[in-house]
Amino acid sequence: MNAKRIARLLVACIALMIGLVGCGGSTDPAGSAAPGSSQGLDASATPAQRAAALYQEAVSHPQSYFGLPEHPEGAGGSDVPTFDYALVAVKPGELPALLLRAMGSDGRWADAAEIVPLTVNDAGDGLSVEISPLWEDISQAEERQRSVMASAYGDGLLVEDMNRSTGEGVVWRRRFEADAMRPEPVCELRGGSDSMAAKVAAEEFVPIPWEPCPPSGANLDDLASLKALADGTWQSTAVREDKDRSAAEQFGLVLLTGTVRELDDRGIAALQGIENPNPPSDDLVMHAVLELDEPATLTALGAGGSAPREGEVRLILIERNTSELTWGAYQDKHVTVAIDPAMLMWPSDTSLPLGEPSVATAGIVVVDVG
């Protein structure tokens, strides 16, 4: 592996680590004053017109958001990217976000694209970086394949992160909310399995409508989507008004609503109001369970994969030995999930939650949060 490829991988790894932590609220991704002003508009300008003016400046000077000088070609070397932009609905009922994308063939951007999401600040007079940069793999030769999509419901951005060799991976959601500092797993991808949960997740994918950034100083008339935003004719990427649960039902999944709890064995036993039947298991290993809003009658496979049977369910084990980077992102959050009953199983022992079913990680998809 050559030095340039190693450098690019290091940058990508650092960006991914930052992305898992989040960096909401920054107004200056490049470490210097970011361009963008709506001061030239009169007081009658609408929020959309002000956003279009701010976004126009950013699109005309995208390099500053990637830590590059005004004229990167003058810095020497071939590590100079091309830039694209797109407007994407990321929060229902609010102005779209501006995505800036840098792509190249060398160094930092070899075979990958870096995406910086920007939104208008609360005052309406500047731009903010709500979440850290995202990376998308361009080369089909890469074993790891990351793809960034818009949400059909305007609910953040979706990232499909898959290992091409095994067909395994995760679909993540990056929501533009103050309490969403980390990526939230939507569903797990499993190679060789006909995952209905993954099909439900894919129903939400919308391609991002990229346009090339024009030369510096472009007029608003040269920027089709920004002009449409200003005059009120922009076609939102949110093509569905509400969370459509019919997709889950179409694939035979069961919709359930409850609160995610990340607990150790003692905590789960306390939640059930019982003594831990396995005292040696009293340790700090955390497990994710879904505490249903109300008991539900479900059909699940019998112990050891025997014939399905029906029973009342109050808790569902959704991941054993969970971590902060997976279900920990939903700790104490109210969620609606769709579960594949073919991947739901009653216990065959006294493991916790006692007498309650568990679902395979590839058999559950998060449909809604809140």
Side-chain angles (χ1 to χ4, degrees):
M1 182 178 293
N2 60 39
K4 291 180 179 178
R5 176 57 61 85
I6 293 174
R8 202 271 295 175
L9 289 175
L10 286 173
V11 171
C13 290
I14 292 171
L16 177 61
M17 292 172 65
I18 293 173
L20 293 176
V21 175
C23 65
S26 170
T27 59
D28 182 10
S32 60
S37 174
S38 60
Q39 295 179 357
L41 297 176
D42 59 42
S44 65
T46 66
Q49 288 169 337
R50 294 183 179 278
L54 290 166
Y55 288 164
Q56 177 188 353
E57 286 295 316
V59 168
S60 297
H61 306 276
Q63 58 276 3
S64 66
Y65 291 95
F66 297 90
L68 297 175
E70 176 71 16
H71 301 289
E73 64 275 6
S78 58
D79 188 11
V80 179
T82 58
F83 300 104
D84 300 306
Y85 77 98
L87 290 183
V88 173
V90 295
K91 295 176 73 172
E94 298 193 16
L95 291 168
L98 172 69
L99 306 185
L100 295 177
R101 181 174 69 173
M103 293 190 298
S105 59
D106 196 9
R108 173 175 164 186
W109 294 283
D111 303 322
E114 183 179 1
I115 299 172
V116 174
L118 303 169
T119 57
V120 178
N121 64 21
D122 292 339
D125 58 3
L127 300 181
S128 298
V129 181
E130 294 291 338
I131 63 175
S132 58
L134 303 173
W135 288 84
E136 187 172 50
D137 294 300
I138 303 300
S139 172
Q140 295 300 309
E142 294 288 333
E143 181 174 352
R144 182 182 184 185
Q145 197 70 35
R146 291 163 296 182
S147 302
V148 181
M149 283 82 61
S151 161
Y153 307 108
D155 188 8
L157 296 172
L158 297 165
V159 182
E160 185 181 63
D161 192 343
M162 178 186 290
N163 184 309
R164 291 169 59 88
S165 298
T166 64
E168 298 183 352
V170 179
V171 175
W172 302 94
R173 186 186 308 279
R174 291 308 311 263
R175 289 193 304 121
F176 289 60
E177 300 289 350
D179 64 345
M181 299 300 292
R182 296 192 300 272
E184 298 171 347
V186 176
C187 74
E188 186 167 313
L189 308 173
R190 287 290 179 90
S193 68
D194 188 20
S195 171
M196 296 297 105
K199 291 182 179 180
V200 170
E203 289 285 304
E204 190 178 347
F205 295 167
V206 173
I208 294 175
W210 294 108
E211 301 176 46
C213 289
S216 178
N219 295 320
L220 192 62
D221 289 341
D222 300 324
L223 307 170
S225 58
L226 296 187
K227 185 176 186 299
L229 178 64
D231 63 25
T233 61
W234 178 67
Q235 296 297 309
S236 175
T237 52
V239 295
R240 302 176 190 169
E241 292 184 1
D242 301 305
K243 291 283 185 177
D244 183 3
R245 302 182 179 185
S246 63
E249 296 169 346
Q250 173 188 343
F251 290 114
L253 274 64
V254 178
L255 285 164
L256 298 168
T257 301
T259 303
V260 174
R261 309 293 187 193
E262 193 180 42
L263 302 165
D264 59 12
D265 280 348
R266 290 183 182 181
I268 294 176
L271 188 63
Q272 290 191 278
I274 61 173
E275 291 291 331
N276 185 1
N278 312 297
S281 71
D282 282 343
D283 53 35
L284 297 179
V285 176
M286 307 298 282
H287 314 294
V289 297
L290 180 67
E291 182 183 13
L292 301 182
D293 286 353
E294 54 186 32
T297 300
L298 300 177
T299 299
L301 293 174
S306 57
R309 66 176 177 84
E310 189 177 83
E312 185 177 81
V313 176
R314 296 175 182 272
L315 295 173
I316 298 177
L317 177 68
I318 50 181
E319 186 175 45
R320 194 171 296 283
N321 301 339
T322 189
S323 75
E324 284 298 306
L325 299 181
T326 53
W327 284 97
Y330 293 111
Q331 172 71 312
D332 295 329
K333 289 185 177 181
H334 196 246
V335 303
T336 297
V337 301
I339 288 179
D340 186 346
M343 296 188 180
L344 192 66
M345 183 175 295
W346 296 106
S348 59
D349 52 26
T350 58
S351 60
L352 294 170
L354 186 64
E356 301 284 8
S358 62
V359 62
T361 53
I364 181 170
V365 55
V366 178
V367 176
D368 201 4
V369 180

